[in-house]
Amino acid sequence: MQTGFSDPAAGFVSASQVARVETEAWAEANMYCPNCGNSQLSRYNANRPVADFFCSQCGDQYELKSKNRSFGRKIANGAYSTKMERLASDTSPNLILLHYDRKSRLVENLRVVPKFFFTGNVVEKRKPLAKTARRAGWVGSNILLDRIPEAGKITVVNCGIIRDRDEVLRDWNALRFVEKRLGDARGWLTEVMHCIERIGQDNFMLSDIYDFENDLASIFPSNNNIRPKIRQQLQVLRDAGYIYFLGGGRYRLVDPQEIASSHQTGRK
């Protein structure tokens, strides 16, 4: 992998067109599949509604989003109905977030988000386009990046420095326990993971998670047993090796390398 773009895109006038062509060409030439480790991703034909790339080995799909500045709390996505249908069928693409420097034509930061972190809770429905718009009534969506746990945004390039591929694959594999949860169970799990990160320290108390009770109640209004549900998710995270239970209502967030090691040895 290298961080520099290839020769400038020819035949395009707008900066956005040039950026799209160059970043897609970069991803095709440099990006590997973090799900199975295949050394290259293949590009779909243009104008595919949801995905841009696919892995010929495992079949996983990838959507590329690129910007010449850091990504904010949300990012525009495709049609809301299409996105929700893909979520329901569990065929959403993984997401590649590519931040590049327009002047140097270098990749500054790149993160990948596994598809199993996309739940209905992180997809925002946008307002329909106005009657005067070319696609009047079309309803788009936003992905709420700030609602996805940081653990689910796996770093591939950081400040221009390429991470070792084995580390990226390790971080991805350490999160496979999330993939095994379906529907609301996955939504609950990722929301509690997000709450743990919002505490801001590796060691925390059960009471710290209870502080998010009202937030979780607003996300899951049909559930009247928020605290038991929180404890259930903490049990799942403990069994997966994502957190350690230290006793007395105390927990510790585990480093991804420790999670991978526990999975390899069968240790909980």
Side-chain angles (χ1 to χ4, degrees):
M1 175 181 284
Q2 58 183 10
T3 58
F5 292 160
S6 58
D7 293 336
F12 294 94
V13 176
S14 73
S16 61
Q17 288 178 320
V18 171
R20 177 180 58 80
V21 171
E22 291 190 341
T23 55
E24 287 182 355
W26 181 91
E28 185 176 25
N30 292 276
M31 194 60 204
Y32 53 87
C33 178
N35 179 52
C36 71
N38 189 17
S39 60
Q40 188 174 21
L41 296 180
S42 302
R43 198 190 312 200
Y44 278 118
N45 293 331
N47 301 319
R48 189 175 177 87
V50 178
D52 301 304
F53 299 90
F54 68 95
C55 174
S56 60
Q57 183 166 289
C58 70
D60 257 22
Q61 302 177 72
Y62 292 83
E63 181 179 10
L64 173 66
K65 294 290 186 180
S66 58
K67 296 183 72 172
N68 66 340
R69 58 184 182 277
S70 298
F71 288 88
R73 59 174 296 268
K74 66 173 67 175
I75 186 169
N77 206 242
Y80 179 78
S81 59
T82 302
K83 188 67 178 179
M84 297 308 291
E85 287 172 4
R86 295 294 295 271
L87 287 179
S89 64
D90 207 30
T91 58
S92 285
N94 306 297
L95 183 63
I96 301 173
L97 300 172
L98 190 158
H99 162 219
Y100 65 94
D101 182 87
R102 180 179 292 170
K103 186 176 181 179
S104 66
R105 300 176 66 246
L106 293 172
V107 174
E108 291 290 322
N109 299 285
L110 189 147
R111 305 175 88 181
V112 289
V113 183
K115 63 183 180 181
F116 43 84
F117 277 93
F118 293 111
T119 66
N121 303 335
V122 303
V123 180
E124 179 182 60
K125 188 176 185 178
R126 289 156 61 186
K127 294 181 180 180
L129 293 183
K131 294 180 180 180
T132 55
R134 182 170 59 86
R135 293 189 293 171
W138 183 83
V139 179
S141 64
N142 293 318
I143 294 176
L144 304 177
L145 295 176
D146 62 344
R147 292 285 299 278
I148 298 173
E150 286 301 306
K153 304 168 189 173
I154 301 171
T155 298
V156 178
V157 180
N158 182 39
C159 297
I161 299 174
I162 301 168
R163 286 187 74 203
D164 184 83
R165 182 184 302 193
D166 288 342
E167 292 181 0
V168 174
L169 297 179
R170 178 205 69 196
D171 289 355
W172 187 288
N173 287 327
L175 296 168
R176 289 196 183 278
F177 67 91
V178 178
E179 188 175 18
K180 297 176 182 178
R181 313 291 287 184
L182 302 176
D184 284 348
R186 185 182 295 175
W188 264 102
L189 187 63
T190 55
E191 287 295 339
V192 170
M193 291 171 69
H194 186 219
C195 291
I196 291 172
E197 290 183 349
R198 289 167 65 188
I199 294 171
Q201 54 189 27
D202 290 346
N203 292 281
F204 61 94
M205 302 288 294
L206 177 60
S207 58
D208 295 325
I209 304 296
Y210 283 166
D211 287 343
F212 298 101
E213 184 175 3
N214 290 337
D215 291 350
L216 293 170
S218 66
I219 297 170
F220 303 101
S222 62
N223 192 297
N224 297 316
N225 299 288
I226 303 299
R227 291 195 174 193
K229 200 68 175 180
I230 289 173
R231 293 193 297 271
Q232 180 188 60
Q233 305 315 305
L234 292 176
Q235 179 70 48
V236 172
L237 293 172
R238 192 202 73 170
D239 290 346
Y242 187 80
I243 58 175
Y244 283 152
F245 177 56
L246 303 175
R250 297 177 298 118
Y251 296 86
R252 179 171 70 84
L253 188 61
V254 178
D255 181 87
Q257 190 168 359
E258 291 183 72
I259 301 175
S261 176
S262 68
H263 290 177
Q264 290 170 358
T265 60
R267 176 171 52 86
K268 298 297 185 181

